[in-house]
Amino acid sequence: MNSDLKTRIWPAGEAAVAAAARGLAEGGLVAFPTETVYGLGADATNPKAIARLYRAKGRPAFNPLIAHVGDLAAARRIADFDATAMALAEAFWPGPLTLVLPRSADCAVAELATAGLDTIAVRVPAHPVALAILRAFGGPVVAPSANLSGHVSPTTAAHVQGDLAGRIDLIVDGGPVTVGVESTIVGCFEVPMLLRPGGLPRDDIERVLGRALLHPRQDPGADSGQPLAPGMLASHYAPRTRVRLNAGSVEPGEALLAFGPAALPGVESAAAVMNLSARSNVDEAAANLFGYLRTLDRSGARAIAVMPVPHHGLGEAINDRLRRAAVGRD
C-alpha cells in the first residue's frame, strides 16, 4: 500500500462532484458523505479499483460490499426485484435501507465486490452530495464506510482523513452526516430477513411488509465463514480502547459514554464523559454514536464504560454496533 498518496479534500459543490465522478471513472478512491456515514467509493465494475479499496481499508475480501446507485432504475439493472423488494424500495429509497437481492443476468458489478456470492447488496442513498456524484458518474459505486476496516465508522470528513489520508485520492467534505449509523440491511430471500439493523428502524420495515422480519439462522456475530452482508463480523466498529457495556457505575480510569439524564456512581472521577442524548432520544444518540466513540478513544482512558441504551427504534442499531465494538474487549 502506498501511504504517500496525496489525498485531496474538497468542500462539497459542483467542482467536487465533477472531480469525484472523474476520479471514480479513472479507477480512483473517493470518500463522500451519505446520510448514514461517509462512504469510500470505487467503480463497482472495476476489479482493480475494488482491490485497491480492500487494500486501503485493510478489509477482508470475503466481506461483500454494497453497490450504491442513483435511482431505482439503476438498481434494477444490477439486481432482480420481486414484489417484496419493490415494495421496500418504493417505500424507503432514497434512504438508509440496503436490499440483498439476486444478481441480474447482465449485472456489471465485479464479482470481487460481491465476494463471489450470487446475490448483491444495493441501495440508493438519500444524501444530495452522494446522489449528485452517483448520477454524474453514471454507474454503480461500491462504498463501504470510509475508515480502516473494523474501526469506528466516520461521520465527518475529518474522521475519514484521520484513517485514510495517504491511502485514497479524494475526500468530498459535505459536513457531518445526519443518521450516524450504517444502513439497515434486509435480505429479500424467500422470507425477508434482517441481516443488519441500521438507520431505518425495523418497525418501519415490518409495517410495509405486514409481517415480522426473520433473523439469520447462524449468529450474525460469528467471524467464521462468509457473511451474507456487510457489517456482520463479530468484531467491528471498534475503538482501540476496551469497551465495557451496560455500565452501572464508572470505574477509576474509565471514560463514560452516557445516555439519558441519570448520573452514574463514580462519574465525577471519569477520564472523560460524553452523553449520546441527555434527553434519552435514540435518533440523537445514533447521530452522535461514532463521533463520541472516536473522541473518547483519544481520551487516554483505560476503558470506555457505556450506559444501557433502550432497544426500540434506532436503539437496536446502536446496541448492535456497541456489541460488536466490545467483542474481544470485555
Side-chain angles (χ1 to χ4, degrees):
M1 167 60 59
N2 175 18
S3 59
D4 297 324
L5 180 69
K6 176 65 174 178
T7 300
R8 298 169 294 156
I9 304 175
W10 285 23
E14 290 184 8
V17 167
R22 185 167 57 250
L24 291 168
E26 294 171 352
L29 301 182
V30 177
F32 56 85
T34 77
E35 77 278 24
T36 57
V37 299
Y38 272 71
L40 179 59
D43 179 355
T45 69
N46 184 337
K48 290 183 179 179
I50 295 166
R52 186 181 163 209
L53 183 151
Y54 278 117
R55 291 195 301 272
K57 281 180 58 70
R59 182 185 177 101
F62 62 79
N63 197 2
L65 302 170
I66 297 172
H68 293 65
V69 292
D71 53 37
L72 177 55
R76 297 187 72 177
R77 288 194 285 272
I78 61 174
D80 289 334
F81 283 70
D82 61 11
T84 295
M86 283 299 296
L88 293 176
E90 289 172 349
F92 299 116
W93 280 355
L97 174 67
T98 293
L99 300 177
V100 176
L101 304 164
R103 290 173 61 112
S104 65
D106 55 352
C107 177
V109 173
E111 288 195 7
L112 184 58
T114 59
L117 298 171
D118 58 4
T119 55
I120 185 168
V122 60
R123 90 172 180 106
V124 180
H127 198 288
V129 174
L131 285 174
I133 291 171
L134 290 167
R135 290 167 181 170
F137 174 62
V141 173
V142 290
S145 56
N147 58 293
L148 293 173
S149 185
H151 194 209
V152 180
S153 297
T155 55
T156 68
H159 295 160
V160 181
Q161 184 180 18
D163 271 18
L164 297 178
R167 292 170 172 257
I168 66 176
D169 300 287
L170 174 64
I171 301 170
V172 178
D173 185 352
V177 304
T178 54
V179 176
V181 291
E182 294 82 358
S183 61
T184 301
I185 301 181
V186 172
C188 293
F189 309 134
E190 185 174 348
V191 178
M193 182 179 294
L194 180 66
L195 298 178
R196 180 181 73 181
L200 181 65
R202 172 208 298 266
D203 289 350
D204 292 357
I205 299 168
E206 292 179 339
R207 194 173 301 115
V208 169
L209 293 177
R211 64 184 302 174
L213 288 163
L214 291 188
H215 289 278
R217 291 180 182 176
Q218 292 185 334
D219 178 6
D223 273 350
S224 59
Q226 185 179 56
L228 293 171
M232 295 181 70
L233 298 180
S235 180
H236 210 60
Y237 316 109
R240 295 171 179 86
T241 308
R242 183 174 67 88
V243 173
R244 182 170 69 87
L245 301 180
N246 299 314
S249 63
V250 184
E251 298 177 1
E254 288 187 327
L256 175 64
L257 186 63
F259 179 84
L264 293 188
V267 67
E268 64 280 351
S269 59
V273 178
M274 300 199 79
N275 196 322
L276 291 171
S277 176
R279 56 197 181 100
S280 303
N281 182 290
V282 291
D283 292 353
E284 180 183 23
N288 289 332
L289 176 63
F290 289 140
Y292 285 9
L293 277 174
R294 283 176 175 265
T295 299
L296 294 179
D297 199 22
R298 297 192 298 268
S299 69
R302 67 175 184 85
I304 300 171
V306 181
M307 289 177 64
V309 176
H311 208 63
H312 63 79
L314 292 189
E316 182 177 16
I318 293 169
N319 285 313
D320 172 81
R321 303 313 190 268
L322 289 171
R323 176 174 62 84
R324 295 178 196 277
V327 167
R329 295 165 173 80
D330 262 344

